Amino acid sequence: MSDIEKQVKSGYEDASSITSQHVNPISSPTYAFKTSTNKWQSFKDSFKRVEVEELDPNLTEAERVAIATARAPLKRHLKSRHLQMIAIGGAIGTGLFVGSGSSLRTAGPAGLLIGYGISSTFILCMICALGELAVEFPISGGFTTYATRFVDESFGFAANFNYALQWLVVLPLEIVSASITVNYWGTPKKYRDGFVALFWVVIVVINLFGVKGYGEAEFVFSIIKVTCVLGFIICGIALVCGARGNYIGGTYWQHPYGAFVGDTAGARFKGTMSVFASAAFAFAGSELVGLAAAETANPRKTLPKAAKQVFWRITIFYIASLTLVGLLVSHKDPRLIGSSSVDAAASPFVIALVSHGIKGLPSVVNVVICIAVLSVGNSAVYACSRTLSAFSEQGYAPKWMNLEYVDRAGRPIVGIAITSIFGILAFIAASEKEGEVFNWLLALSGLSSLFTWAGICLCHIRFRRALSAQGRSTNELSFCSPVGVGGSYYGLFVIILVFIAEFWVAAWPSGFKQMSPSAIAESFFETYLSLPIVLACYVGHKLYKRNWTLFIPASEMDIDTGRREVDIEQLKADIAQEKAELAAKPFYVRWYAYAC
């Protein structure tokens, strides 16, 4: 047994935790503490910190981080049904229901589909890469921790800070969105504070139930969102085919509407490029299945299915629904002009139903939009609190902040508290400056997701490089990305192109010749504020640590600590047996196993 494995094991062992010599200390961490028979006392005790043995001070920084994140005392209460619904419907939110209206207005129906279609390809590659890494390393912090282990310490710091800040900002944004959404029914503005408080309390209470509360809530929220989108698709197909007595077909793609916005090829191209920012916002959260791996009972079985189901979510819920939106709503519809992530009346889904005389359903869609923003707010607290905990475990936060504090119920309670307190910013909904504050908060999250996805692809590339450099192969992996390492290269390349395109759109927006320099600068930073923040984190950490290496050498990379399956030979035998059993089954069973 290596020194690292001994250290991990010593951190877990107590009188009751190791019951057999075959127990894997990394995969089955348990911690001893007395429980009271009194329910109130047990509830109070659940907030007490789980104590783990101090790490050996002689360990290197890389070894310390690997062990600390591998043995984080998070509860593994997420089941297969939770993870699959998070994968299928977890990322469906206001970006799809409302934000797509802005993209339709600026790019047209064809530009909308091209932007989302290209985005979906690198999202799929990223999810497959993340699935491979998360199955092998279901550790605290997930992909933000991979950045530290597989790329570079400074890159890891920037990735952690960026991801935590993204979700920290998203929480008040979504609560404000939910509070304004109720205006659809004519709710007086004076009640907005009350709705802000209501939504904030609901989100915080859900997360106080721990990962099980998050999983159950997302399971229910995702079912509602998926049902709504499927219902819209069925209704939309009927309307396009003339169910209301008026055949629509491709009317809004033809003259005088047009498939694109703009009179010149350059204007049409720029309009299409502007869709990527909206698509990034809509797809944000697709990576949450990887973050949840550390709290999943059996990631080797559930994560591959969840990763593959992302393809169907993209195809059915995004591409199909947005195709119908482009067929049912004109990009010149004046109701789209006010499109933003908080104006539910500008939702193209609602406009499509209202325009074609469907009564009742617009209110149903609006209720689902409220549920969607609650779902995203719920995910924001979950993701930010876990990222802050991993941020501290990797040594990036001051010790006095206690961000790595995990209580006996498996909740990173300090991270939950910080995220929840920041969510109180949602009370800007009652301010006259609400729009300005909202726009700048949105700018902070801006392209953050793209940085995260690029980082995941890079981590996968570096992991595969380490396997090769250390004379090992993909045969020892429980799950290999269906698109391989080539998919990660493709995803990283396309995301870099998107950054370049977005820089062009931000620096020279449509009609910039008529804009003042201050208006151009404001427009640029509202789109691209994430870039200077990430660069400042990366360069600042390099200067502070005086670490000038670009990548951790592949031959020195730790690709073992944190694995739940530590017996590689047994794992290979299990995988071979599973493949043999699957090969003996009928074709349709094998096809379903491959696709789903």
Side-chain angles (χ1 to χ4, degrees), residues 104-115 252-254 256-265 267-273 331-332:
L104 177 63
R105 178 175 57 88
T106 57
L112 175 69
L113 282 182
I114 291 172
Y252 293 127
W253 283 59
Q254 301 168 3
Y257 304 102
F260 294 92
V261 173
D263 298 326
T264 64
R268 292 170 182 171
F269 181 75
K270 184 173 288 188
T272 301
M273 292 301 100
H331 66 79
K332 295 183 179 181

Side-chain angles (χ1 to χ4, degrees), residues 222-408:
S222 294
I223 287 176
I224 294 172
K225 290 186 289 183
V226 165
T227 302
C228 176
V229 175
L230 287 176
F232 176 82
I233 290 173
I234 294 170
C235 181
I237 292 173
L239 290 174
V240 169
C241 294
R244 299 288 293 180
N246 180 26
Y247 176 74
I248 299 171
T251 302
Y252 293 127
W253 283 59
Q254 301 168 3
H255 184 78
Y257 304 102
F260 294 92
V261 173
D263 298 326
T264 64
R268 292 170 182 171
F269 181 75
K270 184 173 288 188
T272 301
M273 292 301 100
S274 68
V275 175
F276 286 112
S278 174
F281 182 73
F283 284 119
S286 297
E287 72 288 338
L288 280 174
V289 290
L291 188 66
E295 296 172 89
T296 302
N298 190 351
R300 191 166 82 83
K301 297 290 186 182
T302 56
L303 273 171
K305 291 182 180 180
K308 288 184 285 189
Q309 285 169 354
V310 170
F311 169 78
W312 300 109
R313 186 194 75 204
I314 290 172
T315 303
I316 297 174
F317 303 127
Y318 283 87
I319 304 303
S321 63
L322 291 179
T323 298
L324 290 167
V325 162
L327 292 172
L328 293 170
V329 181
S330 166
H331 66 79
K332 295 183 179 181
D333 194 307
R335 288 169 292 185
L336 290 173
I337 294 176
S339 290
S340 71
S341 58
V342 297
D343 191 355
S347 166
F349 289 77
V350 173
I351 292 172
L353 296 172
V354 171
S355 299
H356 298 283
I358 304 297
K359 297 181 179 180
L361 286 183
S363 288
V364 172
V365 172
N366 208 56
V367 170
V368 174
I369 292 174
C370 284
I371 292 172
V373 295
L374 279 175
S375 173
V376 177
N378 183 40
S379 296
V381 176
Y382 175 83
C384 189
S385 61
R386 271 65 181 176
T387 304
L388 288 175
S389 179
F391 190 76
S392 183
E393 287 166 353
Q394 295 171 72
Y396 294 139
K399 283 293 182 184
W400 59 266
M401 294 185 72
N402 262 337
L403 291 179
E404 74 280 9
Y405 186 111
V406 177
D407 65 21
R408 295 178 179 180

Side-chain angles (χ1 to χ4, degrees), residues 62-341:
E63 290 171 342
R64 188 197 63 77
V65 169
I67 295 171
T69 53
R71 71 174 193 178
L74 300 171
K75 297 291 185 181
R76 292 172 188 165
H77 287 163
L78 288 181
K79 300 177 182 177
S80 177
R81 62 183 178 89
H82 296 137
L83 210 62
Q84 290 185 38
M85 288 312 299
I86 290 172
I88 293 174
I92 298 175
T94 53
L96 173 65
F97 286 123
V98 183
S100 57
S102 178
S103 296
L104 177 63
R105 178 175 57 88
T106 57
L112 175 69
L113 282 182
I114 291 172
Y116 272 80
I118 293 175
S119 298
S120 66
T121 60
F122 65 72
I123 288 292
L124 181 61
C125 292
M126 178 275 298
I127 286 293
C128 290
L130 178 58
E132 179 179 310
L133 292 172
V135 169
E136 294 304 314
F137 304 95
I139 55 180
S140 174
F143 40 83
T144 60
T145 308
Y146 305 151
T148 301
R149 290 182 59 175
F150 302 146
V151 183
D152 168 62
E153 188 181 0
S154 298
F155 186 82
F157 175 80
N160 276 265
F161 187 87
N162 168 69
Y163 197 67
L165 182 63
Q166 172 190 340
W167 288 111
L168 202 63
V169 168
V170 163
L171 178 60
L173 282 178
E174 292 298 330
I175 294 176
V176 171
S177 299
S179 68
I180 298 179
T181 297
V182 298
N183 291 343
Y184 181 83
W185 296 288
T187 307
K189 188 174 181 179
K190 63 181 181 180
Y191 297 126
R192 188 170 296 174
D193 276 352
F195 281 104
V196 167
L198 174 63
F199 292 131
W200 183 86
V201 169
V202 170
I203 291 171
V204 172
V205 168
I206 288 173
N207 279 273
L208 287 179
F209 281 97
V211 67
K212 194 169 185 179
Y214 165 74
E216 293 295 349
E218 282 306 298
F219 181 76
V220 174
F221 290 156
S222 294
I223 287 176
I224 294 172
K225 290 186 289 183
V226 165
T227 302
C228 176
V229 175
L230 287 176
F232 176 82
I233 290 173
I234 294 170
C235 181
I237 292 173
L239 290 174
V240 169
C241 294
R244 299 288 293 180
N246 180 26
Y247 176 74
I248 299 171
T251 302
Y252 293 127
W253 283 59
Q254 301 168 3
H255 184 78
Y257 304 102
F260 294 92
V261 173
D263 298 326
T264 64
R268 292 170 182 171
F269 181 75
K270 184 173 288 188
T272 301
M273 292 301 100
S274 68
V275 175
F276 286 112
S278 174
F281 182 73
F283 284 119
S286 297
E287 72 288 338
L288 280 174
V289 290
L291 188 66
E295 296 172 89
T296 302
N298 190 351
R300 191 166 82 83
K301 297 290 186 182
T302 56
L303 273 171
K305 291 182 180 180
K308 288 184 285 189
Q309 285 169 354
V310 170
F311 169 78
W312 300 109
R313 186 194 75 204
I314 290 172
T315 303
I316 297 174
F317 303 127
Y318 283 87
I319 304 303
S321 63
L322 291 179
T323 298
L324 290 167
V325 162
L327 292 172
L328 293 170
V329 181
S330 166
H331 66 79
K332 295 183 179 181
D333 194 307
R335 288 169 292 185
L336 290 173
I337 294 176
S339 290
S340 71
S341 58

Side-chain angles (χ1 to χ4, degrees), residues 569-582:
E569 294 305 317
Q570 182 60 48
L571 175 63
K572 289 180 179 179
D574 291 343
I575 294 173
Q577 182 179 352
E578 290 169 5
K579 288 181 178 179
E581 290 175 354
L582 182 62

